[in-house]
Amino acid sequence: MMTHAVLPSDLTDAPARRPHAVVIGAGFGGLAAAVRLGARGYRVTVFDRLDGPGGRGSVWRQDGFTFDMGPTIVTAPFLFEELWELCGRKLSDDIELKALEPFYTVRFDDGETFSAYSDPEKMRQEVARFNPDDVAGYDRYMKEAQACFETGFEGMVDKPFCRLFNMVEALPDLIRRRADRSVYGLCAKYVKDERLRVALSFHPLFIGGSPFRVSAVFSLISYLERHWGVHYAMGGTGALAKGIAGLIEGQGNVVRYNTDVAEIVVEDGKAAGVKLADGEIVAADVVVSNADAAWTYSKLVPPNHRTRWTDAKLDRMAYSMSLFIWYFGTDRKYDDVGHHTILMGPRYRGLIKDIFKNKVLADDFSLYLHRPSATDPSVAPDGCDAFYVLSPVPNLDADIDWTTTAEVLRKRIADKLEATVLPDLSRHIVSSKMITPLDFRDRLLSVKGAAFGMEPTLFQIAWFRPHNVSEELENLYIVGAGTHPGAGLPGVLASARILDKLVPNAVA
């Protein structure tokens, strides 16, 4: 349900008399929450410790290249469109979204490729190339993915799960969808070719989960891609973050960068504002945290005000994997490489187990290669290409010294890319930057360096996650990857949408 937009001209009271909302973190969840609160009459101040908007979706510029540091695709554009509509504008006024075809190409270790398309018939043709007998099974799998989409996305994504009764209400649908089964298990029920199982079941990695542990309900991602397509924001995902920050400022509200929040101020069991690292106290009627949920409770809420999300409870939770990401630019173009390529290693199940359970850095890896300059020449100098390559790795529960391991892993990845899809890569690199799990911990304040917060296993989704309205303090709300519905751009934007049902209106 859309919230009625309250434009600046509608606000006749002096700004200082309007209720004040403080948002901690200018990631996509925090930015979206600020727009929605501003549209409902709140005076909003957003604080972020980084020097620009986006959080995990921020931007790095270097040597004439523009690198999106985190998410690279848009799969539910309407969630962005709503934010612009709340401000009396259109998304297309500021942002050009370009549909990608194919969405991505999966390259197996033997060199065979599988491309994902929006056209169901093209997908059937891709499946038939591997195993004609699996076409009918693929159709049945997608029918089940659609049912999971209707249950898990349309039915749950913007519904608050703040009471156990909310979970009980959802149980019949979850049982019908066999939520106890994994995404891989659901796929394997219908598809027999192992390579197809891999190509159709890896999607939980996009939200920080193991395909062998994440609930089958998350097969909805496959249908979500088909339903709305996969899009790229021209100028990069960072252009979307900058655009939303502009909406906030257009509402007459404020985003303060390079500002650390040290603590949530509590008065009479209610969040009453925040204390900044420099000692400044900022009073608020509503506090929304877009910081990592585990960080919010372990570092920002005083311990004497926590009963459920204690340190012991937080430590028992299962956290997502982390990421090693290498951003690099080349002084030549690789025109035969698409916008998104997924390079599968020689193992699938074993590698996932090493990352999530064994917590070791394996000798092999699978890679996600992003070449935005295939679509958007503006992100690289003329005649050059911008890339990032991502490898899922264990979070900081693993005993890995990233200060010495990072360059070793980067070189191994570069060698693999050079031997497969980027010939002569080593001679053409002109810009380079790496981030490791240490950056997720120290720069993004993510507990255990987990790239996606808590892993979305069956007993860590919906009611089992930190709630959108805090269980510990009145007037404290949580948005972002660590709360319901979870990680990924659709999830974090939907977490802000949920606030419309929880936070009282500031303007009648």
Side-chain angles (χ1 to χ4, degrees), residues 3 27 52-53 135 138 156 184 241 253 256 304 384 404 443 461 474:
T3 302
V135 173
Y138 165 74
M156 294 175 62
Y184 178 89
N253 293 317
R256 288 175 57 178
N304 58 314
C384 299
T404 58
R443 179 175 178 269
I461 61 173
E474 290 186 47

Side-chain angles (χ1 to χ4, degrees), residues 122-304:
K122 283 189 177 181
M123 287 294 285
R124 294 185 189 101
Q125 291 171 8
E126 286 291 287
V127 169
R129 286 198 302 108
F130 285 82
N131 183 8
D133 293 339
D134 273 333
V135 173
Y138 165 74
D139 283 338
R140 289 193 293 273
Y141 173 66
M142 288 304 297
K143 184 177 181 180
E144 183 62 27
Q146 179 178 355
C148 288
F149 171 83
E150 291 165 355
T151 294
F153 194 89
E154 294 182 336
M156 294 175 62
V157 73
D158 63 352
K159 177 181 178 180
F161 278 80
C162 303
R163 297 179 299 146
L164 183 58
F165 179 69
N166 301 133
M167 196 71 200
V168 173
E169 281 185 314
L171 277 178
D173 285 337
L174 293 174
I175 291 170
R176 276 193 291 272
R177 299 278 68 80
R178 284 296 309 274
D180 60 308
R181 186 163 43 195
S182 71
V183 171
Y184 178 89
L186 178 65
C187 182
K189 176 183 176 182
Y190 296 107
V191 176
K192 303 309 177 187
D193 187 280
E194 184 59 28
R195 293 168 300 175
L196 291 175
R197 290 175 172 178
V198 170
L200 298 171
S201 75
F202 73 88
H203 300 84
L205 293 166
F206 285 156
I207 56 171
S210 162
F212 298 96
R213 298 202 309 204
V214 166
S215 169
V217 172
F218 286 93
S219 64
L220 69 85
I221 299 172
S222 294
Y223 185 78
L224 185 147
E225 289 180 342
R226 175 187 288 187
H227 189 62
W228 280 300
V230 170
H231 301 80
Y232 170 79
M234 297 298 284
T237 310
L240 282 165
K242 182 179 178 182
I244 302 173
L247 295 179
I248 295 167
E249 292 163 358
Q251 291 174 315
N253 293 317
V254 178
V255 185
R256 288 175 57 178
Y257 302 111
N258 299 303
T259 306
D260 258 319
V261 173
E263 184 179 319
I264 293 171
V265 176
V266 181
E267 295 179 2
D268 299 323
K270 300 178 180 179
V274 295
K275 180 179 180 181
L276 305 183
D278 63 5
E280 179 185 356
I281 302 291
V282 181
D285 301 280
V286 168
V287 176
V288 176
S289 181
N290 183 217
D292 176 66
W295 177 272
T296 297
Y297 283 120
S298 65
K299 303 297 184 182
L300 299 182
V301 176
N304 58 314

Side-chain angles (χ1 to χ4, degrees), residues 338-378:
H339 193 111
H340 295 117
T341 306
I342 297 158
L343 293 90
M344 291 293 180
R347 299 184 302 151
Y348 184 54
R349 186 187 293 269
L351 178 61
I352 297 295
K353 185 177 180 180
D354 281 345
I355 293 169
F356 284 89
K357 184 176 180 180
N358 298 336
K359 302 252 193 286
V360 296
L361 188 64
D363 291 333
D364 59 322
F365 40 70
S366 290
L367 304 171
Y368 170 77
L369 181 66
H370 180 224
R371 180 184 169 238
S373 45
T375 303
D376 185 359
S378 74

Side-chain angles (χ1 to χ4, degrees), residues 62-100:
Q62 176 177 287
D63 304 322
F65 296 89
T66 299
F67 300 108
D68 279 326
M69 300 198 75
T72 64
I73 60 175
V74 176
T75 51
F78 78 94
L79 289 168
F80 287 101
E81 290 166 354
E82 283 185 356
L83 300 178
W84 265 259
E85 289 168 8
L86 287 170
C87 298
R89 298 173 55 79
K90 293 182 179 180
L91 176 64
S92 58
D93 292 339
D94 301 309
I95 302 293
E96 179 187 357
L97 290 183
K98 184 165 285 192
L100 300 180

